[in-house]
Amino acid sequence: MKKIILTGDRPTGRLHVGHYVGSLSRRVEIQNKGEFDEMYVMIADAQALTDNAENPEKVRSNIIEVALDYLSCGLDPDKITLFIQSQVPELTELAFYYMNLVTVSRLQRNPTVKNEIVMRNFEASIPVGFFNYPISQAADITAFKANTVPVGEDQLPMIEQTNEIVRKFNSVYGETLVEAKAVLPERKVCLRLPGTDGKAKMSKSLGNCIYLADTPEKVKQAVMSMYTDPDHIKVTDPGKLEGNVVFTYLDAFATDGHFEKYLPEYKNLDELKAHYTRGGLGDMKVKRFLNAVLEEILTPIRARRKEYEKDIPAVYEILRKGSERAREVAAKTLDEVKSAMRINYFKDAELINKEYNPD
Ligand code: TRP
């Protein structure tokens, strides 16, 4: 079976280091190893509009930011298809037919939607489009017959919903669509990187993110003010690792190679942790190490971004071409869906030429 990969992000802000360990770095790795037959990466602007209807400018202006982040991390438009969701109208049409296969109560039970309704204060008045976005996401995935969807943990209910639609569609109209499998980050720490303040979620409004495009000064400042162990006051005090964001980030980013290069008195993170919990290791030293590790990762990303920023029209052209290619694939699936549903009237010679017999 062909391996077809599809993932996407909502363009509501620049991408941060949480996105990087959560899925971006993995996508680039898969791409460069060539471990796929087709790979699509989608900027989910239509989905972003489901909870930003009154702020389309925010979505519009962040499309280029996300595209620049993708390209600067090494996603390569010669190897994969980068596209914008709203420019593939076939996705909307697919979603329209899938809507008939899903009940309102099923959507109400989707834990991710439930959470978001609370987060966005939608309880009293949920926009229909927002409520419906899991179905739209099923269209995104099935349109490309994607069987592999690398995502964060919060997206598991969407994949489950997608597969229910696939099974329902295939049982009602005949084998047409393909089930998908979510691929989560291998390491638990990468599932959800906390904010620099120790809060569970990185969010722009909390100001606790490190963005891929941040300057070295900004990154350093964020690292130096990171939440550690409030009881670790003197260097000699034993330190706690639990809830200590600096160590969480080191879990996510540091390799033994980084130790060799920047902190050779320790072989690996286990040794550093042991010293910290024993006492005698100051926060500053650990933070400086984390800063060096992050800089090693972010420096080439920043440099590539600078190059792409010089020719923004070329980036839009990449997205335009990708959207065109994506459209061809989605149109083919939509055709198959409509034939399976037998709503392809004008292509159905048997229907058209059938002898008319009203009684
Ligand atoms: N829901 C995803 C997010 O919030 C974005 C997304 C839209 C997506 N369609 C998708 C992810 C299809 C994977 C597959 O980030």
mmCIF file of all heavy atoms in Angstrom, residues 305-348:
data_model
loop_
_atom_site.group_PDB
_atom_site.id
_atom_site.type_symbol
_atom_site.label_atom_id
_atom_site.label_comp_id
_atom_site.label_asym_id
_atom_site.label_seq_id
_atom_site.Cartn_x
_atom_site.Cartn_y
_atom_site.Cartn_z
ATOM 1 N N ARG A 305 15.031 31.267 6.768
ATOM 2 C CA ARG A 305 13.884 32.170 6.747
ATOM 3 C C ARG A 305 14.268 33.490 6.086
ATOM 4 O O ARG A 305 13.557 33.998 5.227
ATOM 5 C CB ARG A 305 13.352 32.406 8.160
ATOM 6 C CG ARG A 305 11.916 32.906 8.192
ATOM 7 C CD ARG A 305 11.460 33.133 9.620
ATOM 8 N NE ARG A 305 10.035 32.893 9.820
ATOM 9 C CZ ARG A 305 9.076 33.777 9.613
ATOM 10 N NH1 ARG A 305 9.380 34.960 9.166
ATOM 11 N NH2 ARG A 305 7.814 33.482 9.849
ATOM 12 N N LYS A 306 15.425 34.019 6.495
ATOM 13 C CA LYS A 306 15.897 35.295 5.928
ATOM 14 C C LYS A 306 15.957 35.218 4.403
ATOM 15 O O LYS A 306 15.592 36.172 3.716
ATOM 16 C CB LYS A 306 17.287 35.633 6.476
ATOM 17 C CG LYS A 306 17.280 36.238 7.862
ATOM 18 C CD LYS A 306 17.136 37.761 7.799
ATOM 19 C CE LYS A 306 16.665 38.377 9.106
ATOM 20 N NZ LYS A 306 15.364 37.928 9.635
ATOM 21 N N GLU A 307 16.438 34.089 3.885
ATOM 22 C CA GLU A 307 16.536 33.920 2.426
ATOM 23 C C GLU A 307 15.149 33.972 1.780
ATOM 24 O O GLU A 307 14.930 34.704 0.825
ATOM 25 C CB GLU A 307 17.212 32.585 2.070
ATOM 26 C CG GLU A 307 18.713 32.587 2.263
ATOM 27 C CD GLU A 307 19.392 33.753 1.539
ATOM 28 O OE1 GLU A 307 19.190 33.893 0.309
ATOM 29 O OE2 GLU A 307 20.108 34.543 2.207
ATOM 30 N N TYR A 308 14.223 33.187 2.310
ATOM 31 C CA TYR A 308 12.867 33.155 1.739
ATOM 32 C C TYR A 308 12.160 34.499 1.884
ATOM 33 O O TYR A 308 11.387 34.904 1.023
ATOM 34 C CB TYR A 308 12.025 32.060 2.390
ATOM 35 C CG TYR A 308 12.340 30.679 1.867
ATOM 36 C CD1 TYR A 308 13.005 29.745 2.648
ATOM 37 C CD2 TYR A 308 11.967 30.298 0.572
ATOM 38 C CE1 TYR A 308 13.295 28.474 2.172
ATOM 39 C CE2 TYR A 308 12.254 29.035 0.087
ATOM 40 C CZ TYR A 308 12.917 28.123 0.888
ATOM 41 O OH TYR A 308 13.198 26.885 0.416
ATOM 42 N N GLU A 309 12.448 35.213 2.995
ATOM 43 C CA GLU A 309 11.796 36.513 3.219
ATOM 44 C C GLU A 309 12.157 37.525 2.131
ATOM 45 O O GLU A 309 11.418 38.480 1.907
ATOM 46 C CB GLU A 309 12.211 37.077 4.595
ATOM 47 C CG GLU A 309 11.480 36.431 5.756
ATOM 48 C CD GLU A 309 12.012 36.896 7.114
ATOM 49 O OE1 GLU A 309 12.973 37.692 7.149
ATOM 50 O OE2 GLU A 309 11.464 36.442 8.138
ATOM 51 N N LYS A 310 13.297 37.276 1.463
ATOM 52 C CA LYS A 310 13.723 38.217 0.423
ATOM 53 C C LYS A 310 12.835 38.155 -0.809
ATOM 54 O O LYS A 310 12.844 39.069 -1.627
ATOM 55 C CB LYS A 310 15.163 37.891 -0.007
ATOM 56 C CG LYS A 310 16.206 38.315 0.991
ATOM 57 C CD LYS A 310 17.591 38.020 0.415
ATOM 58 C CE LYS A 310 18.650 38.098 1.481
ATOM 59 N NZ LYS A 310 19.813 37.264 1.132
ATOM 60 N N ASP A 311 12.125 37.041 -0.984
ATOM 61 C CA ASP A 311 11.293 36.902 -2.182
ATOM 62 C C ASP A 311 9.929 36.313 -1.820
ATOM 63 O O ASP A 311 9.647 35.142 -2.067
ATOM 64 C CB ASP A 311 12.026 36.025 -3.210
ATOM 65 C CG ASP A 311 11.376 36.129 -4.596
ATOM 66 O OD1 ASP A 311 10.319 36.806 -4.709
ATOM 67 O OD2 ASP A 311 11.908 35.529 -5.544
ATOM 68 N N ILE A 312 9.105 37.160 -1.225
ATOM 69 C CA ILE A 312 7.781 36.719 -0.771
ATOM 70 C C ILE A 312 6.899 36.264 -1.950
ATOM 71 O O ILE A 312 6.207 35.251 -1.848
ATOM 72 C CB ILE A 312 7.099 37.842 0.059
ATOM 73 C CG1 ILE A 312 7.900 38.091 1.349
ATOM 74 C CG2 ILE A 312 5.652 37.508 0.372
ATOM 75 C CD1 ILE A 312 7.949 36.922 2.326
ATOM 76 N N PRO A 313 6.937 36.984 -3.097
ATOM 77 C CA PRO A 313 6.109 36.496 -4.224
ATOM 78 C C PRO A 313 6.443 35.054 -4.611
ATOM 79 O O PRO A 313 5.557 34.289 -4.990
ATOM 80 C CB PRO A 313 6.452 37.472 -5.357
ATOM 81 C CG PRO A 313 6.866 38.727 -4.662
ATOM 82 C CD PRO A 313 7.571 38.280 -3.410
ATOM 83 N N ALA A 314 7.719 34.679 -4.476
ATOM 84 C CA ALA A 314 8.114 33.303 -4.811
ATOM 85 C C ALA A 314 7.478 32.304 -3.837
ATOM 86 O O ALA A 314 7.115 31.188 -4.221
ATOM 87 C CB ALA A 314 9.633 33.172 -4.791
ATOM 88 N N VAL A 315 7.324 32.720 -2.579
ATOM 89 C CA VAL A 315 6.701 31.829 -1.595
ATOM 90 C C VAL A 315 5.216 31.640 -1.933
ATOM 91 O O VAL A 315 4.691 30.526 -1.903
ATOM 92 C CB VAL A 315 6.884 32.370 -0.159
ATOM 93 C CG1 VAL A 315 6.178 31.467 0.846
ATOM 94 C CG2 VAL A 315 8.369 32.490 0.187
ATOM 95 N N TYR A 316 4.552 32.744 -2.283
ATOM 96 C CA TYR A 316 3.144 32.614 -2.698
ATOM 97 C C TYR A 316 3.016 31.731 -3.946
ATOM 98 O O TYR A 316 2.042 30.995 -4.099
ATOM 99 C CB TYR A 316 2.512 33.995 -2.942
ATOM 100 C CG TYR A 316 2.060 34.660 -1.661
ATOM 101 C CD1 TYR A 316 2.737 35.756 -1.143
ATOM 102 C CD2 TYR A 316 0.961 34.180 -0.957
ATOM 103 C CE1 TYR A 316 2.329 36.362 0.048
ATOM 104 C CE2 TYR A 316 0.539 34.777 0.223
ATOM 105 C CZ TYR A 316 1.230 35.869 0.720
ATOM 106 O OH TYR A 316 0.814 36.447 1.895
ATOM 107 N N GLU A 317 4.016 31.821 -4.822
ATOM 108 C CA GLU A 317 3.981 31.000 -6.028
ATOM 109 C C GLU A 317 4.110 29.511 -5.673
ATOM 110 O O GLU A 317 3.440 28.658 -6.266
ATOM 111 C CB GLU A 317 5.108 31.453 -6.986
ATOM 112 C CG GLU A 317 5.166 30.748 -8.328
ATOM 113 C CD GLU A 317 3.876 30.843 -9.161
ATOM 114 O OE1 GLU A 317 3.016 31.704 -8.869
ATOM 115 O OE2 GLU A 317 3.745 30.027 -10.100
ATOM 116 N N ILE A 318 4.945 29.205 -4.689
ATOM 117 C CA ILE A 318 5.055 27.824 -4.209
ATOM 118 C C ILE A 318 3.680 27.336 -3.723
ATOM 119 O O ILE A 318 3.238 26.235 -4.043
ATOM 120 C CB ILE A 318 6.089 27.729 -3.049
ATOM 121 C CG1 ILE A 318 7.510 27.910 -3.604
ATOM 122 C CG2 ILE A 318 5.960 26.410 -2.294
ATOM 123 C CD1 ILE A 318 8.583 28.082 -2.522
ATOM 124 N N LEU A 319 3.003 28.203 -2.963
ATOM 125 C CA LEU A 319 1.698 27.831 -2.414
ATOM 126 C C LEU A 319 0.646 27.707 -3.518
ATOM 127 O O LEU A 319 -0.227 26.842 -3.470
ATOM 128 C CB LEU A 319 1.251 28.857 -1.373
ATOM 129 C CG LEU A 319 2.126 28.972 -0.126
ATOM 130 C CD1 LEU A 319 1.650 30.121 0.765
ATOM 131 C CD2 LEU A 319 2.127 27.662 0.666
ATOM 132 N N ARG A 320 0.751 28.582 -4.515
ATOM 133 C CA ARG A 320 -0.216 28.535 -5.615
ATOM 134 C C ARG A 320 -0.062 27.232 -6.406
ATOM 135 O O ARG A 320 -1.044 26.541 -6.680
ATOM 136 C CB ARG A 320 -0.031 29.731 -6.548
ATOM 137 C CG ARG A 320 -1.193 29.923 -7.536
ATOM 138 C CD ARG A 320 -0.892 30.953 -8.608
ATOM 139 N NE ARG A 320 0.216 30.575 -9.462
ATOM 140 C CZ ARG A 320 0.169 29.655 -10.422
ATOM 141 N NH1 ARG A 320 -0.963 29.009 -10.664
ATOM 142 N NH2 ARG A 320 1.238 29.363 -11.140
ATOM 143 N N LYS A 321 1.173 26.907 -6.724
ATOM 144 C CA LYS A 321 1.426 25.674 -7.473
ATOM 145 C C LYS A 321 1.003 24.447 -6.668
ATOM 146 O O LYS A 321 0.407 23.519 -7.198
ATOM 147 C CB LYS A 321 2.920 25.557 -7.817
ATOM 148 C CG LYS A 321 3.338 26.382 -9.011
ATOM 149 C CD LYS A 321 4.600 25.755 -9.616
ATOM 150 C CE LYS A 321 5.187 26.608 -10.727
ATOM 151 N NZ LYS A 321 6.531 27.114 -10.373
ATOM 152 N N GLY A 322 1.337 24.480 -5.377
ATOM 153 C CA GLY A 322 0.974 23.356 -4.508
ATOM 154 C C GLY A 322 -0.534 23.205 -4.426
ATOM 155 O O GLY A 322 -1.072 22.091 -4.468
ATOM 156 N N SER A 323 -1.235 24.341 -4.326
ATOM 157 C CA SER A 323 -2.696 24.290 -4.216
ATOM 158 C C SER A 323 -3.302 23.726 -5.492
ATOM 159 O O SER A 323 -4.298 22.993 -5.458
ATOM 160 C CB SER A 323 -3.250 25.690 -3.942
ATOM 161 O OG SER A 323 -2.696 26.204 -2.749
ATOM 162 N N GLU A 324 -2.686 24.057 -6.617
ATOM 163 C CA GLU A 324 -3.172 23.552 -7.899
ATOM 164 C C GLU A 324 -3.024 22.022 -7.960
ATOM 165 O O GLU A 324 -3.939 21.309 -8.354
ATOM 166 C CB GLU A 324 -2.324 24.177 -9.010
ATOM 167 C CG GLU A 324 -3.086 24.541 -10.254
ATOM 168 C CD GLU A 324 -2.239 25.454 -11.143
ATOM 169 O OE1 GLU A 324 -1.225 24.962 -11.685
ATOM 170 O OE2 GLU A 324 -2.576 26.655 -11.241
ATOM 171 N N ARG A 325 -1.847 21.571 -7.536
ATOM 172 C CA ARG A 325 -1.584 20.123 -7.537
ATOM 173 C C ARG A 325 -2.551 19.416 -6.575
ATOM 174 O O ARG A 325 -3.120 18.376 -6.893
ATOM 175 C CB ARG A 325 -0.132 19.877 -7.098
ATOM 176 C CG ARG A 325 0.485 18.693 -7.787
ATOM 177 C CD ARG A 325 1.961 18.502 -7.403
ATOM 178 N NE ARG A 325 2.734 19.731 -7.318
ATOM 179 C CZ ARG A 325 3.756 19.915 -6.471
ATOM 180 N NH1 ARG A 325 4.111 18.964 -5.618
ATOM 181 N NH2 ARG A 325 4.426 21.051 -6.462
ATOM 182 N N ALA A 326 -2.722 20.008 -5.401
ATOM 183 C CA ALA A 326 -3.624 19.412 -4.403
ATOM 184 C C ALA A 326 -5.040 19.331 -4.955
ATOM 185 O O ALA A 326 -5.768 18.359 -4.748
ATOM 186 C CB ALA A 326 -3.602 20.245 -3.122
ATOM 187 N N ARG A 327 -5.414 20.344 -5.714
ATOM 188 C CA ARG A 327 -6.762 20.389 -6.278
ATOM 189 C C ARG A 327 -7.019 19.241 -7.228
ATOM 190 O O ARG A 327 -8.096 18.661 -7.247
ATOM 191 C CB ARG A 327 -6.931 21.712 -7.034
ATOM 192 C CG ARG A 327 -8.138 22.431 -6.603
ATOM 193 C CD ARG A 327 -8.492 23.575 -7.452
ATOM 194 N NE ARG A 327 -9.914 23.422 -7.739
ATOM 195 C CZ ARG A 327 -10.654 24.348 -8.279
ATOM 196 N NH1 ARG A 327 -10.123 25.484 -8.642
ATOM 197 N NH2 ARG A 327 -11.931 24.124 -8.495
ATOM 198 N N GLU A 328 -5.996 18.928 -8.033
ATOM 199 C CA GLU A 328 -6.152 17.818 -8.981
ATOM 200 C C GLU A 328 -6.441 16.511 -8.244
ATOM 201 O O GLU A 328 -7.322 15.746 -8.642
ATOM 202 C CB GLU A 328 -4.867 17.645 -9.804
ATOM 203 C CG GLU A 328 -4.735 18.645 -10.925
ATOM 204 C CD GLU A 328 -3.334 18.637 -11.535
ATOM 205 O OE1 GLU A 328 -2.657 17.582 -11.484
ATOM 206 O OE2 GLU A 328 -2.921 19.702 -12.035
ATOM 207 N N VAL A 329 -5.702 16.285 -7.170
ATOM 208 C CA VAL A 329 -5.880 15.036 -6.414
ATOM 209 C C VAL A 329 -7.257 15.016 -5.745
ATOM 210 O O VAL A 329 -7.990 14.025 -5.816
ATOM 211 C CB VAL A 329 -4.766 14.886 -5.356
ATOM 212 C CG1 VAL A 329 -4.934 13.603 -4.563
ATOM 213 C CG2 VAL A 329 -3.393 14.931 -6.020
ATOM 214 N N ALA A 330 -7.614 16.139 -5.112
ATOM 215 C CA ALA A 330 -8.893 16.206 -4.397
ATOM 216 C C ALA A 330 -10.061 16.073 -5.376
ATOM 217 O O ALA A 330 -11.086 15.458 -5.058
ATOM 218 C CB ALA A 330 -8.985 17.512 -3.625
ATOM 219 N N ALA A 331 -9.898 16.636 -6.577
ATOM 220 C CA ALA A 331 -10.981 16.575 -7.569
ATOM 221 C C ALA A 331 -11.221 15.126 -7.991
ATOM 222 O O ALA A 331 -12.365 14.713 -8.225
ATOM 223 C CB ALA A 331 -10.629 17.432 -8.780
ATOM 224 N N LYS A 332 -10.159 14.362 -8.077
ATOM 225 C CA LYS A 332 -10.282 12.958 -8.467
ATOM 226 C C LYS A 332 -11.063 12.178 -7.397
ATOM 227 O O LYS A 332 -11.972 11.407 -7.709
ATOM 228 C CB LYS A 332 -8.874 12.367 -8.658
ATOM 229 C CG LYS A 332 -8.876 11.072 -9.391
ATOM 230 C CD LYS A 332 -7.486 10.708 -9.897
ATOM 231 C CE LYS A 332 -7.452 9.215 -10.211
ATOM 232 N NZ LYS A 332 -7.218 8.403 -8.993
ATOM 233 N N THR A 333 -10.721 12.439 -6.145
ATOM 234 C CA THR A 333 -11.448 11.762 -5.058
ATOM 235 C C THR A 333 -12.913 12.201 -5.043
ATOM 236 O O THR A 333 -13.818 11.372 -4.884
ATOM 237 C CB THR A 333 -10.792 12.078 -3.692
ATOM 238 O OG1 THR A 333 -9.426 11.688 -3.757
ATOM 239 C CG2 THR A 333 -11.485 11.335 -2.563
ATOM 240 N N LEU A 334 -13.138 13.502 -5.236
ATOM 241 C CA LEU A 334 -14.518 13.993 -5.241
ATOM 242 C C LEU A 334 -15.325 13.308 -6.347
ATOM 243 O O LEU A 334 -16.484 12.933 -6.154
ATOM 244 C CB LEU A 334 -14.532 15.513 -5.429
ATOM 245 C CG LEU A 334 -15.924 16.156 -5.498
ATOM 246 C CD1 LEU A 334 -16.704 15.925 -4.207
ATOM 247 C CD2 LEU A 334 -15.813 17.654 -5.777
ATOM 248 N N ASP A 335 -14.704 13.116 -7.487
ATOM 249 C CA ASP A 335 -15.333 12.401 -8.596
ATOM 250 C C ASP A 335 -15.738 10.987 -8.184
ATOM 251 O O ASP A 335 -16.851 10.542 -8.453
ATOM 252 C CB ASP A 335 -14.307 12.287 -9.737
ATOM 253 C CG ASP A 335 -14.807 12.964 -10.992
ATOM 254 O OD1 ASP A 335 -15.588 13.927 -10.861
ATOM 255 O OD2 ASP A 335 -14.415 12.507 -12.083
ATOM 256 N N GLU A 336 -14.803 10.308 -7.528
ATOM 257 C CA GLU A 336 -15.073 8.946 -7.071
ATOM 258 C C GLU A 336 -16.204 8.924 -6.053
ATOM 259 O O GLU A 336 -17.058 8.041 -6.068
ATOM 260 C CB GLU A 336 -13.803 8.333 -6.455
ATOM 261 C CG GLU A 336 -12.737 8.027 -7.493
ATOM 262 C CD GLU A 336 -11.368 7.711 -6.864
ATOM 263 O OE1 GLU A 336 -11.330 7.407 -5.655
ATOM 264 O OE2 GLU A 336 -10.358 7.820 -7.584
ATOM 265 N N VAL A 337 -16.191 9.920 -5.166
ATOM 266 C CA VAL A 337 -17.233 10.009 -4.139
ATOM 267 C C VAL A 337 -18.598 10.208 -4.794
ATOM 268 O O VAL A 337 -19.583 9.548 -4.458
ATOM 269 C CB VAL A 337 -16.907 11.152 -3.148
ATOM 270 C CG1 VAL A 337 -18.144 11.627 -2.398
ATOM 271 C CG2 VAL A 337 -15.829 10.706 -2.165
ATOM 272 N N LYS A 338 -18.640 11.105 -5.777
ATOM 273 C CA LYS A 338 -19.924 11.383 -6.419
ATOM 274 C C LYS A 338 -20.409 10.200 -7.256
ATOM 275 O O LYS A 338 -21.619 9.937 -7.305
ATOM 276 C CB LYS A 338 -19.841 12.665 -7.255
ATOM 277 C CG LYS A 338 -19.781 13.909 -6.358
ATOM 278 C CD LYS A 338 -19.404 15.143 -7.108
ATOM 279 C CE LYS A 338 -20.629 15.951 -7.499
ATOM 280 N NZ LYS A 338 -20.244 17.272 -8.049
ATOM 281 N N SER A 339 -19.474 9.473 -7.867
ATOM 282 C CA SER A 339 -19.919 8.277 -8.599
ATOM 283 C C SER A 339 -20.427 7.232 -7.623
ATOM 284 O O SER A 339 -21.445 6.582 -7.887
ATOM 285 C CB SER A 339 -18.830 7.609 -9.429
ATOM 286 O OG SER A 339 -17.885 8.474 -9.834
ATOM 287 N N ALA A 340 -19.724 7.078 -6.493
ATOM 288 C CA ALA A 340 -20.168 6.084 -5.508
ATOM 289 C C ALA A 340 -21.568 6.437 -5.019
ATOM 290 O O ALA A 340 -22.416 5.567 -4.839
ATOM 291 C CB ALA A 340 -19.185 6.024 -4.348
ATOM 292 N N MET A 341 -21.822 7.742 -4.835
ATOM 293 C CA MET A 341 -23.143 8.182 -4.368
ATOM 294 C C MET A 341 -24.154 8.245 -5.504
ATOM 295 O O MET A 341 -25.327 8.536 -5.287
ATOM 296 C CB MET A 341 -23.028 9.563 -3.714
ATOM 297 C CG MET A 341 -22.193 9.573 -2.442
ATOM 298 S SD MET A 341 -21.917 11.265 -1.843
ATOM 299 C CE MET A 341 -23.569 11.691 -1.272
ATOM 300 N N ARG A 342 -23.663 8.027 -6.687
ATOM 301 C CA ARG A 342 -24.477 8.078 -7.907
ATOM 302 C C ARG A 342 -25.127 9.453 -8.082
ATOM 303 O O ARG A 342 -26.288 9.561 -8.517
ATOM 304 C CB ARG A 342 -25.516 6.948 -7.894
ATOM 305 C CG ARG A 342 -24.864 5.580 -7.624
ATOM 306 C CD ARG A 342 -25.688 4.438 -8.071
ATOM 307 N NE ARG A 342 -25.846 4.433 -9.515
ATOM 308 C CZ ARG A 342 -26.727 3.695 -10.153
ATOM 309 N NH1 ARG A 342 -27.536 2.899 -9.480
ATOM 310 N NH2 ARG A 342 -26.816 3.741 -11.467
ATOM 311 N N ILE A 343 -24.368 10.489 -7.759
ATOM 312 C CA ILE A 343 -24.859 11.841 -8.046
ATOM 313 C C ILE A 343 -24.011 12.463 -9.162
ATOM 314 O O ILE A 343 -23.867 13.673 -9.265
ATOM 315 C CB ILE A 343 -24.875 12.733 -6.782
ATOM 316 C CG1 ILE A 343 -23.489 12.795 -6.134
ATOM 317 C CG2 ILE A 343 -25.905 12.232 -5.779
ATOM 318 C CD1 ILE A 343 -23.393 13.784 -4.977
ATOM 319 N N ASN A 344 -23.474 11.592 -9.985
ATOM 320 C CA ASN A 344 -22.687 12.048 -11.140
ATOM 321 C C ASN A 344 -23.561 11.956 -12.399
ATOM 322 O O ASN A 344 -23.177 11.372 -13.405
ATOM 323 C CB ASN A 344 -21.430 11.191 -11.291
ATOM 324 C CG ASN A 344 -21.776 9.715 -11.438
ATOM 325 O OD1 ASN A 344 -22.877 9.299 -11.087
ATOM 326 N ND2 ASN A 344 -20.857 8.935 -11.971
ATOM 327 N N TYR A 345 -24.748 12.547 -12.326
ATOM 328 C CA TYR A 345 -25.802 12.326 -13.324
ATOM 329 C C TYR A 345 -25.339 12.469 -14.769
ATOM 330 O O TYR A 345 -25.650 11.638 -15.610
ATOM 331 C CB TYR A 345 -26.976 13.293 -13.075
ATOM 332 C CG TYR A 345 -27.344 13.381 -11.620
ATOM 333 C CD1 TYR A 345 -27.112 14.545 -10.896
ATOM 334 C CD2 TYR A 345 -27.902 12.277 -10.966
ATOM 335 C CE1 TYR A 345 -27.437 14.616 -9.557
ATOM 336 C CE2 TYR A 345 -28.221 12.345 -9.616
ATOM 337 C CZ TYR A 345 -27.985 13.513 -8.915
ATOM 338 O OH TYR A 345 -28.283 13.579 -7.587
ATOM 339 N N PHE A 346 -24.585 13.519 -15.029
ATOM 340 C CA PHE A 346 -24.260 13.803 -16.431
ATOM 341 C C PHE A 346 -23.228 12.848 -17.001
ATOM 342 O O PHE A 346 -22.979 12.833 -18.200
ATOM 343 C CB PHE A 346 -23.804 15.266 -16.592
ATOM 344 C CG PHE A 346 -24.838 16.236 -16.067
ATOM 345 C CD1 PHE A 346 -24.450 17.330 -15.306
ATOM 346 C CD2 PHE A 346 -26.189 16.044 -16.314
ATOM 347 C CE1 PHE A 346 -25.395 18.216 -14.809
ATOM 348 C CE2 PHE A 346 -27.146 16.920 -15.815
ATOM 349 C CZ PHE A 346 -26.746 18.007 -15.056
ATOM 350 N N LYS A 347 -22.588 12.088 -16.116
ATOM 351 C CA LYS A 347 -21.630 11.094 -16.594
ATOM 352 C C LYS A 347 -22.275 9.712 -16.645
ATOM 353 O O LYS A 347 -21.603 8.719 -16.925
ATOM 354 C CB LYS A 347 -20.416 11.043 -15.664
ATOM 355 C CG LYS A 347 -19.507 12.242 -15.805
ATOM 356 C CD LYS A 347 -18.291 12.075 -14.925
ATOM 357 C CE LYS A 347 -17.482 13.365 -14.928
ATOM 358 N NZ LYS A 347 -16.616 13.442 -13.759
ATOM 359 N N ASP A 348 -23.548 9.640 -16.336
ATOM 360 C CA ASP A 348 -24.217 8.350 -16.202
ATOM 361 C C ASP A 348 -25.108 8.110 -17.429
ATOM 362 O O ASP A 348 -26.299 8.450 -17.433
ATOM 363 C CB ASP A 348 -25.044 8.365 -14.905
ATOM 364 C CG ASP A 348 -25.611 6.994 -14.566
ATOM 365 O OD1 ASP A 348 -25.616 6.109 -15.449
ATOM 366 O OD2 ASP A 348 -26.047 6.823 -13.426
#
